[in-house]
Amino acid sequence: MKIPVNINITTERLTENGPYGVDGAETERIESSASGIMKKTGNMLQLQYIEAEDSGFGGTRTTVSLCGDMVAVNRTGQLNTHMIFEAGKSHDCVYDTGYFPMQLRVSTKSLDCDITELGGKLNIDYTVEIVGNVAEQSKLTLSVAPDSSVMTS
């Protein structure tokens, strides 16, 4: 079954050295929203949406697979990545720049997910490393709600 959903995405990227909340550490906050679908297959939920044209990655199809304590994010289009998030673990992933693929290591500090067919929220705090060096420290939040246009009483 496919459920139409509205998805709000917030990304906070650390722009200065130092952990979040420490003096001198600044974050860049990006917020966007998308309409998409949610599918349930067995014990896995999948969210699919296409990023807005003004996002810089317009037309990129994103699939977020939620399975227990693991989240996989696949993006195809202008941007091609496959990233796996699992609290307290690191996973090697591929980022295709369009010119050549790069191997990244995604280390997930924390992952909290309460998304069900009724909606919910996903919070991920993670770092991305390239050749052993931290390239990015980010927090990602996805808020999901069924599209009100399909709700009936």
Side-chain angles (χ1 to χ4, degrees):
M1 171 173 49
K2 293 181 181 179
I3 303 167
V5 292
N6 293 315
I7 303 167
N8 292 312
I9 305 137
T10 303
T11 303
E12 292 182 16
R13 288 193 179 103
L14 188 65
T15 57
E16 299 280 330
N17 288 334
Y20 287 100
V22 172
D23 288 341
E26 295 180 17
T27 58
E28 171 188 44
R29 184 180 176 103
I30 301 168
E31 296 183 26
S32 62
S33 60
S35 295
I37 59 166
M38 179 188 299
K39 297 191 302 188
K40 183 166 182 162
T41 307
N43 64 347
M44 181 175 64
L45 281 177
Q46 256 189 354
L47 302 170
Q48 295 179 339
Y49 61 93
I50 296 177
E51 297 190 32
E53 291 298 325
D54 62 355
S55 71
F57 302 109
T60 298
R61 176 180 299 277
T62 300
T63 301
V64 180
S65 301
L66 311 164
C67 188
D69 295 334
M70 187 182 299
V71 173
V73 177
N74 289 303
R75 298 170 82 194
T76 56
Q78 281 189 322
L79 175 72
N80 295 297
T81 60
H82 174 74
M83 300 189 330
I84 298 173
F85 300 95
E86 192 173 7
K89 296 188 178 177
S90 297
H91 290 275
D92 290 336
C93 306
V94 175
Y95 172 73
D96 185 352
T97 65
Y99 299 103
F100 58 88
M102 292 188 331
Q103 183 173 339
L104 307 176
R105 173 159 289 166
V106 177
S107 298
T108 307
K109 294 179 177 184
S110 65
L111 185 149
D112 297 306
C113 182
D114 65 4
I115 296 175
T116 68
E117 295 93 334
L118 300 175
K121 191 177 277 191
L122 168 66
N123 291 298
I124 305 173
D125 186 352
Y126 66 98
T127 59
V128 175
E129 299 172 17
I130 301 173
V131 193
N133 297 302
V134 174
E136 178 179 296
Q137 184 176 348
S138 297
K139 291 183 180 180
L140 172 70
T141 300
L142 285 175
S143 298
V144 180
D147 188 327
S148 62
S149 68
V150 297
M151 303 298 282
T152 59
S153 54

